[in-house]
Amino acid sequence: MKSNIKIGNDLPLYEQMKEVILKQIESGELKAGDKILSEAQFQKEFHVSRITVRKAIETLVKEGYLMKIQGKGTFVKKHNQSLQQCLSLTDLCQIQGRSLTSEIISCQKCDVKKENLQFFSHQQNIEIVRLRKVDGVVIMLETTYFPLEDDFLLNEDLSHSLYQLLNQYHIYPDHKGLNEVSISKLTPLQAQLFNVQNDMNVIHHRGVIYDENHRFIHAVEEYVRVDLPDLFKYYL
């Protein structure tokens, strides 16, 4: 990476740095899912202050080009003009040429979790817990929460794409609302499901999906392995 930042330039330093990073993204030098340099590395590369680096990165985060993951760093995000598109795990695996299978852990009616009460009109919801496997390797523990009105799910084969199934009932997930990401350690039970050691760090993602009319479709909670980038890249 070459520094093109000039003190005498009319643009503020953080804007110049932002443009350099943006050109790398638009040219494909930095691709979706790539981790960018740390703040300290950018300081050394561009010979600027930490404040300048932080402002440039935060601006790109707000504009949807970058995404910060607590404890892991800052990554290039697939940029959309407006709302975040809703790509299923099935879509992502097809894009990456991977085989996806699902193991159903449970499908039942249960009480709505406290953090999801704002999205549901009833005190209960339909909870579907699945292990998602990419080329036979467990990559994700996924819990999806649907309104009680979608009770047809209780009698369906859920081992394939839920979105393709929803489409058959004229339900069309379109975009994301809530999209929270953090780093979490697997519990002993979760580690057993993943067949990995206890306390392994994974991405913990909570999201909410709407249709094109902004009608609530479902909430989802995912625990995703990030230690196998050559097998699968996960995009939010």
Side-chain angles (χ1 to χ4, degrees), residues 18-115:
K18 171 195 160 187
E19 288 301 316
V20 171
I21 299 172
L22 188 54
K23 284 179 181 178
Q24 290 183 314
I25 294 173
E26 292 176 340
S27 69
E29 184 178 345
L30 284 174
K31 297 178 176 61
D34 285 349
K35 183 178 179 180
I36 67 171
L37 299 178
S38 67
E39 289 185 358
Q41 289 172 321
F42 271 125
Q43 277 185 269
K44 184 177 179 180
E45 177 70 31
F46 290 99
H47 307 290
V48 293
S49 69
R50 184 176 290 264
I51 294 175
T52 296
V53 173
R54 190 164 294 170
K55 191 168 183 180
I57 292 174
E58 287 178 350
T59 301
L60 287 168
V61 169
K62 288 179 182 178
E63 293 180 359
Y65 290 97
L66 298 178
M67 173 182 63
K68 288 186 175 181
I69 299 180
Q70 183 181 354
K72 298 294 288 186
T74 304
F75 297 81
V76 178
K77 182 178 179 182
K78 183 175 180 179
H79 184 67
N80 295 290
Q81 292 296 326
S82 53
L83 295 171
Q84 291 177 286
Q85 292 180 338
C86 186
L87 289 177
S88 67
L89 188 60
T90 301
D91 295 328
L92 293 176
C93 284
Q94 288 177 348
I95 291 171
Q96 298 179 45
R98 298 296 184 180
S99 171
L100 176 67
T101 55
S102 300
E103 178 183 339
I104 314 305
I105 303 300
S106 64
C107 178
Q108 61 184 345
K109 292 182 181 179
C110 61
D111 292 339
V112 176
K113 296 179 69 173
K114 183 179 179 180
E115 59 265 32

Side-chain angles (χ1 to χ4, degrees), residues 22-235:
L22 188 54
K23 284 179 181 178
Q24 290 183 314
I25 294 173
E26 292 176 340
S27 69
E29 184 178 345
L30 284 174
K31 297 178 176 61
D34 285 349
K35 183 178 179 180
I36 67 171
L37 299 178
S38 67
E39 289 185 358
Q41 289 172 321
F42 271 125
Q43 277 185 269
K44 184 177 179 180
E45 177 70 31
F46 290 99
H47 307 290
V48 293
S49 69
R50 184 176 290 264
I51 294 175
T52 296
V53 173
R54 190 164 294 170
K55 191 168 183 180
I57 292 174
E58 287 178 350
T59 301
L60 287 168
V61 169
K62 288 179 182 178
E63 293 180 359
Y65 290 97
L66 298 178
M67 173 182 63
K68 288 186 175 181
I69 299 180
Q70 183 181 354
K72 298 294 288 186
T74 304
F75 297 81
V76 178
K77 182 178 179 182
K78 183 175 180 179
H79 184 67
N80 295 290
Q81 292 296 326
S82 53
L83 295 171
Q84 291 177 286
Q85 292 180 338
C86 186
L87 289 177
S88 67
L89 188 60
T90 301
D91 295 328
L92 293 176
C93 284
Q94 288 177 348
I95 291 171
Q96 298 179 45
R98 298 296 184 180
S99 171
L100 176 67
T101 55
S102 300
E103 178 183 339
I104 314 305
I105 303 300
S106 64
C107 178
Q108 61 184 345
K109 292 182 181 179
C110 61
D111 292 339
V112 176
K113 296 179 69 173
K114 183 179 179 180
E115 59 265 32
N116 289 335
L117 283 172
Q118 59 183 310
F119 306 116
F120 291 88
S121 56
H122 300 286
Q123 295 299 309
Q124 286 196 317
N125 58 195
I126 295 172
E127 177 192 88
I128 300 170
V129 182
R130 303 191 296 174
L131 282 179
R132 316 301 302 277
K133 301 178 181 180
V134 176
D135 289 353
V137 179
V138 178
I139 292 293
M140 177 188 297
L141 173 60
E142 171 196 83
T143 305
T144 315
Y145 307 95
F146 287 91
L148 282 180
E149 291 80 4
D150 296 335
D151 57 359
F152 63 84
L153 292 166
L154 297 171
N155 301 309
E156 291 284 356
D157 179 4
L158 306 176
S159 61
H160 303 291
S161 170
L162 287 183
Y163 283 8
Q164 291 176 10
L165 175 60
L166 292 174
N167 290 170
Q168 295 176 21
Y169 287 86
H170 307 291
I171 300 172
Y172 303 100
D174 181 72
H175 62 272
K176 299 176 183 178
L178 171 73
N179 199 32
E180 295 182 353
V181 182
S182 61
I183 298 298
S184 177
K185 290 186 180 296
L186 293 176
T187 65
L189 177 58
Q190 291 170 338
Q192 185 177 357
L193 291 172
F194 275 93
N195 194 28
V196 297
Q197 71 274 18
N198 292 347
D199 295 334
M200 180 178 183
N201 285 327
V202 294
I203 288 178
H204 180 203
H205 170 240
R206 291 182 58 237
V208 176
I209 306 299
Y210 297 90
D211 68 12
E212 62 179 2
N213 297 313
H214 205 63
R215 184 179 70 89
F216 171 76
I217 300 296
H218 71 82
V220 65
E221 184 171 21
E222 301 166 336
Y223 293 89
V224 189
R225 289 183 67 172
V226 292
D227 61 317
L228 299 171
D230 292 336
L231 175 64
F232 178 72
K233 286 185 172 63
Y234 177 67
Y235 300 111

